[in-house]
Amino acid sequence: MPKGLAEDVAKNLVMVANLIDEDPEQAYAYSKVALRLASRVAAVREAAGFAAYATQKYSEALAEFRAARRMTGSVELWPVMADCERGLGRPERAMAMAGEPEVQKLDKAGQVEMRLVAAGARRDMGQLDAAIVTLQSPELASNSVQPWTARLRYAYADALLAAGREDEAREWFAKALEADKDGATDASDRLAELDGVEFVDAIDEAHEGDEADEADEADESGKGE
């Protein structure tokens, strides 16, 4: 690839990475530019896939992930490909992928991700107890905190709550919060809900107070006339 073209592609990929969490639609737009410039580059196809995934364009995302996988031969994208099947309303396909040999080739993080996708697919199919069992694993039981720990504990807590096992759910939301150093989940909010705690927005409260004061002043002014 010519140097100038490579630099243009790189700039667009950087913008995708920078925007994908805060402004996925804009990230998607940059990914389309990169795709037009270098569609035969695996990293570009992967970035385009994640940008499409972030904007819930699951069919497009799946196509890009498949293309990237064909180019690299890597199984790294297997879990997110399975989650695209869920997004397309095909949880049974996601479950089938969870049983394929590719899963055994994933690293530990990838296997945990696949477990989360499989549990989600079980829930999509109304198999709540099976979803709970799917999430029960050595990684869930471990006291060691890894990058995936908070999300795994959170998913387990959420499944328990959906099954009506509120006390256990509260315990696991607390464990998720304990592991969630980066605020990747809303475990603290879920715990507060279970404990019946209501948060009042201080800005809204102040605004309501100002409106009440203005109403009182208007009443006083009217009395003086």
Side-chain angles (χ1 to χ4, degrees):
M1 186 185 298
K3 183 180 178 182
L5 179 59
E7 288 176 351
D8 287 344
V9 171
K11 287 176 183 177
N12 281 283
L13 293 184
V14 168
M15 292 305 296
V16 172
N18 289 342
L19 292 169
I20 197 163
D21 291 328
E22 295 180 5
D23 191 348
E25 288 291 348
Q26 193 63 36
Y28 175 75
Y30 279 106
S31 78
K32 299 300 283 186
V33 175
L35 202 55
R36 285 197 298 272
L37 295 172
S39 62
R40 295 184 181 181
V41 176
V44 171
R45 303 303 289 267
E46 183 175 329
F50 278 111
Y53 178 80
T55 53
Q56 299 183 359
K57 298 176 177 68
Y58 297 116
S59 182
E60 187 175 332
L62 186 56
E64 296 300 339
F65 290 142
R66 283 173 174 165
R69 183 167 180 266
R70 282 195 302 272
M71 292 174 178
T72 63
S74 171
V75 297
E76 186 180 273
L77 296 170
W78 197 253
V80 71
M81 288 167 64
D83 206 39
C84 284
E85 295 287 6
R86 284 187 61 213
L88 290 167
R90 303 190 295 239
E92 67 287 346
R93 292 196 186 182
M95 283 305 307
M97 290 179 69
E100 293 291 334
E102 282 82 356
V103 176
Q104 302 308 315
K105 300 175 186 176
L106 292 167
D107 61 14
K108 181 62 70 177
Q111 290 182 4
V112 170
E113 196 64 38
M114 193 70 237
R115 190 177 290 278
L116 287 166
V117 173
R122 290 289 190 192
R123 290 188 65 170
D124 293 343
M125 295 187 286
Q127 300 172 3
L128 196 49
D129 289 340
I132 291 170
V133 171
T134 298
L135 292 167
Q136 292 170 346
S137 62
E139 293 80 20
L140 181 68
S142 175
N143 290 323
S144 173
V145 175
Q146 302 295 334
W148 62 77
T149 301
R151 290 177 59 238
L152 183 59
R153 292 177 179 178
Y154 182 93
Y156 189 58
D158 192 49
L160 289 168
L161 187 60
R165 294 160 62 174
E166 190 171 307
D167 290 343
E168 292 173 85
R170 194 199 180 287
E171 176 188 347
W172 281 97
F173 276 128
K175 289 182 178 181
L177 180 59
E178 185 180 281
D180 193 359
K181 307 303 181 187
D182 300 322
T185 73
D186 64 348
S188 60
D189 293 340
R190 302 297 296 277
L191 271 173
E193 287 175 14
L194 288 171
D195 291 340
V197 176
E198 291 186 13
F199 295 102
V200 177
D201 193 314
I203 295 175
D204 289 344
E205 195 174 55
H207 181 63
E208 289 174 4
D210 290 342
E211 288 183 343
D213 290 342
E214 288 173 5
D216 289 342
E217 288 174 6
D219 287 344
E220 291 298 327
S221 175
K223 289 175 183 176
E225 292 176 359

